[in-house]
Amino acid sequence: MNVLVINAGSSSLKYQLYDMTTENVLAKGRVERIGMESSILSHEVDHQPEVREVSEILDHTTAIKKVLDMLTHRDFGVLRSMHDIQAVGHRVVHGGESFSESVLIDQNVKLEIRKLFDLAPLHNPAHMMGITAVEANLQHVPQAVVFDTAFHQTMPPQSYLYAIPTVLYRKHQIRRYGFHGTSHDYVSKRAAEFLERPLKDLKLITCHIGNGASCAAILHGKSFDTSMGMTPLEGLMMGTRSGDLDPAIVPYTLNKEDLTLNEVNSMLNKHSGLLAISGISSDMREVVEAMQEGNEHAKLAFEMYAYRIRKYIGAYVAAMDGTDAIIFTAGVGENSDVLRKEVCKSLTYLGVHIDEARNAVRSSDTRRITTDESKVSVLVVPTNEELLIARDTYRLVLERQTKETTSE
Ligand code: AMP
């Protein structure tokens, strides 16, 4: 079965086509600048140079059509016809309390996703455009949705409630949802395989450190707590997001500066974090480079960033009464040995001892970066959210096919 995985944003759309018999990626790519002049489709097939096509792509339906044309292209394609796509899986950021697992799309599911537009105004409407665009192009192909929040629906109320009047939770569902669930789920399973221990016996702390960043406490395979909240703004310091701050700063800033609420919101989401403190960049590579050249602001940004991760690790050790392994993943977590070293430098009380040579290795494989004697293992596990989306989609479609054949 071939499964097409779609991650639709408001003006972009990423795709990966999987052959699920081997779990190989047959092709992948992205469409950028949808709705603008000179939209760009970049398409990649293993061992071949990337193909780039510039054209006018006014909406998501046209974007999907272009992707299908490329996937079936005589020279660059990998499929004979679009009928060779048997299922489509979509990433959806917010599943609210309605979805605790991936589901096949039907009218009710679409209605529920629409109801959640308020909670994720930047993301869910764009995902819905992706879903509608696939429906328009591939009418009879089953589609599934995999939610970033679903994995965290196992959190107990003590983790997900805010200490504010409960009427706000009851009326408006204001609570912690957590994000990057697909990644936390995937890397915790991979870590258990790597450690050769059942997931249900493990206490894991997963650190998804990318442009957005979150930590999760995973107790016996289930999310127990996570650092992102009702929105992806809470928790760790990120590329451009502030992470945790005293909520009183918002009205205070409004009072002191000539700013609107929207501008403060935009400041916290787009002009804070690494970018604000370093004054250089939201990209960890550039911050580290500047730090190594002696830039003091970059050094402070780097240290603050690592310190916040270390504090969350400490909190989750306390929350779970210990931990067996700490896992680093995503762009920064997988690639920055200096950041991992800084985070782990004062976790010796836990029995964490980093092996410098292992930490410095660059690889796309899951690996241990602690010494053999280290009581707690620290692992680097490359995340693969697309593969998990493809697997969930494949499983849901097979389950439905089995149900249909047994009821005939
Ligand atoms: P992600 O959101 O997971 O795609 O991560 C993207 C971020 O990873 C970029 O903004 C960079 O800050 C960071 N990144 C990628 N490669 C490296 C690297 N070699 N060293 C440090 N940070 C990196």
Side-chain angles (χ1 to χ4, degrees):
M1 185 189 290
N2 293 326
V3 174
L4 181 64
V5 174
I6 301 283
N7 183 353
S10 55
S11 65
S12 69
L13 186 150
K14 292 188 212 145
Y15 63 92
Q16 288 203 10
L17 180 69
Y18 279 90
D19 170 357
M20 293 312 292
T21 43
T22 55
E23 293 194 340
N24 281 341
V25 177
L26 300 175
K28 64 180 175 183
R30 62 192 179 279
V31 186
E32 288 160 295
R33 299 174 55 84
I34 299 173
M36 297 175 222
E37 272 173 34
S38 328
S39 315
I40 306 161
L41 167 61
S42 320
H43 175 80
E44 225 184 300
V45 177
D46 225 9
H47 308 303
Q48 286 176 34
E50 189 182 80
V51 183
R52 274 165 73 88
E53 197 185 84
V54 179
S55 62
E56 191 177 55
I57 300 180
L58 288 179
D59 55 27
H60 286 64
T61 303
T62 317
I64 291 285
K65 168 131 194 0
K66 290 271 181 195
V67 170
L68 295 174
D69 287 347
M70 194 55 101
L71 288 171
T72 53
H73 192 281
R74 207 183 42 177
D75 302 323
F76 312 122
V78 287
L79 301 174
R80 262 174 305 157
S81 90
M82 59 190 194
H83 300 296
D84 291 336
I85 298 173
Q86 283 88 20
V88 178
H90 294 264
R91 171 189 180 227
V92 172
V93 163
H94 221 306
E97 288 190 324
S98 313
F99 299 103
S100 54
E101 56 190 1
S102 308
V103 288
L104 286 173
I105 297 179
D106 59 19
Q107 289 306 329
N108 284 337
V109 168
K110 285 196 283 186
L111 203 70
E112 284 301 319
I113 296 173
R114 278 186 202 284
K115 283 191 200 158
L116 295 165
F117 278 9
D118 262 2
L119 278 174
L122 297 179
H123 294 101
N124 276 24
H127 302 321
M128 190 50 97
M129 287 196 275
I131 292 167
T132 314
V134 171
E135 271 176 358
N137 282 285
L138 293 166
Q139 283 86 357
H140 302 296
V141 174
Q143 298 191 70
V145 271
V146 178
F147 300 93
D148 271 15
T149 50
F151 179 64
H152 298 301
Q153 279 293 302
T154 51
M155 284 189 291
Q158 70 183 55
S159 302
Y160 73 67
L161 282 180
Y162 291 113
I164 55 176
T166 49
V167 64
L168 292 173
Y169 169 56
R170 288 198 306 275
K171 261 176 85 180
H172 305 298
Q173 294 78 52
I174 295 178
R175 52 159 285 179
R176 175 184 311 286
Y177 291 97
F179 297 87
H180 296 141
T182 318
S183 178
H184 290 293
D185 185 10
Y186 178 83
V187 300
S188 57
K189 286 180 177 138
R190 270 298 293 136
E193 277 170 18
F194 182 85
L195 295 167
E196 297 181 342
R197 290 182 58 190
L199 189 56
K200 64 176 175 40
D201 292 348
L202 292 171
K203 298 171 179 178
L204 301 174
I205 298 174
T206 47
C207 307
H208 177 108
I209 315 294
N211 197 23
S214 67
C215 286
I218 301 180
L219 186 59
H220 309 147
K222 297 204 159 90
S223 176
F224 182 78
D225 203 350
T226 189
S227 58
M228 281 181 168
M230 186 178 96
T231 76
L233 183 56
E234 194 183 343
L236 301 173
M237 176 171 157
M238 306 176 216
T240 61
R241 285 174 236 164
S242 65
D244 292 335
L245 82 167
D246 180 345
I249 291 171
V250 174
Y252 193 81
T253 308
L254 281 173
N255 220 358
K256 293 282 176 190
E257 291 280 319
D258 188 21
L259 291 173
T260 63
L261 195 52
N262 270 346
E263 286 166 338
V264 173
N265 195 28
S266 159
M267 173 190 89
L268 296 174
N269 277 289
K270 297 186 182 149
H271 308 286
S272 296
L274 266 187
L275 175 65
I277 304 297
S278 71
I280 292 170
S281 172
S282 61
D283 191 312
M284 182 55 88
R285 283 165 291 201
E286 291 175 26
V287 173
V288 168
E289 221 175 274
M291 174 177 77
Q292 287 166 346
E293 285 163 5
N295 183 305
E296 284 301 317
H297 301 291
K299 181 168 183 278
L300 176 62
F302 175 80
E303 286 172 356
M304 275 176 71
Y305 188 95
Y307 175 63
R308 295 255 182 128
I309 301 171
R310 204 184 312 133
K311 277 211 295 190
Y312 266 99
I313 290 173
Y316 291 160
V317 169
M320 296 190 291
D321 192 9
T323 185
D324 297 290
I326 298 165
I327 293 123
F328 283 96
T329 191
V332 182
E334 289 169 33
N335 294 304
S336 182
D337 54 334
V338 274
L339 188 271
R340 293 192 298 257
K341 185 176 162 191
E342 177 72 14
V343 170
C344 297
K345 75 176 183 192
S346 49
L347 296 178
T348 47
Y349 75 97
L350 262 183
V352 168
H353 296 285
I354 297 293
D355 180 315
E356 299 237 356
R358 285 180 183 173
N359 187 33
V361 169
R362 292 199 146 262
S363 156
S364 54
D365 293 334
T366 295
R367 56 204 185 275
R368 190 192 309 265
I369 58 166
T370 33
T371 61
D372 291 339
E373 293 73 39
S374 187
K375 204 170 122 230
V376 170
S377 295
V378 178
L379 310 180
V380 179
V381 181
T383 194
N384 197 339
E385 293 162 276
E386 290 77 13
L387 177 58
L388 201 136
I389 294 171
R391 280 180 183 164
D392 271 14
T393 304
Y394 179 56
R395 173 180 54 79
L396 286 165
V397 170
L398 281 189
E399 278 170 13
R400 186 162 82 181
Q401 283 174 355
T402 316
K403 230 188 259 168
E404 282 168 357
T405 40
T406 48
S407 66
E408 269 165 16

